[in-house]
Amino acid sequence: MKRSAGLLLFHHTDDGLVVLLGHMGGPFFARRDAGAWSIPKGEYEPDESAWAAARREFEEELGLPPPDGEALALGEVRQTNGKIVTAWAIEADLDPATIAPGTFRMEWPPRSGQLQEFPELDRVAWFGLDRAREVIVKAQAAFLDRLAEHSP
């Protein structure tokens, strides 16, 4: 069973609580919005702690060190593909224009024999909780609910 871990940044604005989500890169998600946004996360092996993986993946996906601060454990969810995702929330600010995303390679177009490189996340943005629930990977919406329960 595959496992991923990630960090959900949040902060408070005059309009309420906002969270930072990343739009998944690559051709499959290029024209999608709903279900194409995720917390910055990635897979890890059994010999790595979920917390260490969450911090490593944040840096790999955004090209920025993970913020310091108190981490709020948001628990786990199981996505429709069976992957278990563990997340923590950290209150921090980040300018989406400063990201330098990591990349991955895949054959594109399919069966063409051509490898192309794509960003892990092609953009990041701050969302209010209602809008975030509309665009985030369905199972990860539970993280938003858990954050809202713990946030003033």
Side-chain angles (χ1 to χ4, degrees):
M1 177 179 321
K2 292 187 177 180
R3 299 184 73 83
S4 284
L7 299 178
L8 177 63
L9 298 192
F10 72 95
H11 68 261
H12 299 272
T13 69
D14 291 342
D15 296 325
L17 187 64
V18 295
V19 295
L20 185 77
L21 300 178
H23 186 269
M24 292 181 272
F28 181 73
F29 295 103
R31 292 183 179 85
R32 293 181 61 196
D33 197 40
W37 292 81
S38 173
I39 66 168
K41 64 168 183 51
E43 291 182 11
Y44 65 99
E45 297 299 322
D47 62 343
E48 183 179 21
S49 77
W51 173 245
R55 294 182 56 79
R56 175 183 50 77
E57 286 293 335
F58 184 94
E59 188 156 3
E60 285 180 13
E61 294 211 346
L62 300 183
L64 300 169
D68 292 324
E70 185 179 338
L72 171 65
L74 298 176
E76 296 180 341
V77 298
R78 181 185 300 273
Q79 297 185 159
T80 55
N81 62 4
K83 183 184 290 182
I84 303 291
V85 180
T86 305
W88 288 266
I90 297 178
E91 188 166 8
D93 199 1
L94 181 146
D95 179 354
T98 63
I99 71 159
T103 59
F104 68 96
R105 294 173 58 92
M106 67 178 279
E107 182 180 10
W108 190 259
R111 295 177 295 286
S112 67
Q114 299 176 3
L115 287 178
Q116 292 192 41
E117 198 164 294
F118 299 96
E120 295 272 352
L121 298 174
D122 57 23
R123 61 190 181 277
V124 298
W126 290 99
F127 291 91
L129 290 182
D130 290 341
R131 179 70 179 130
R133 283 185 188 93
E134 294 172 4
V135 299
I136 199 167
V137 171
K138 188 175 182 179
Q140 292 180 28
F143 295 141
L144 305 176
D145 297 337
R146 294 170 192 167
L147 174 62
E149 289 173 9
H150 289 91
S151 195

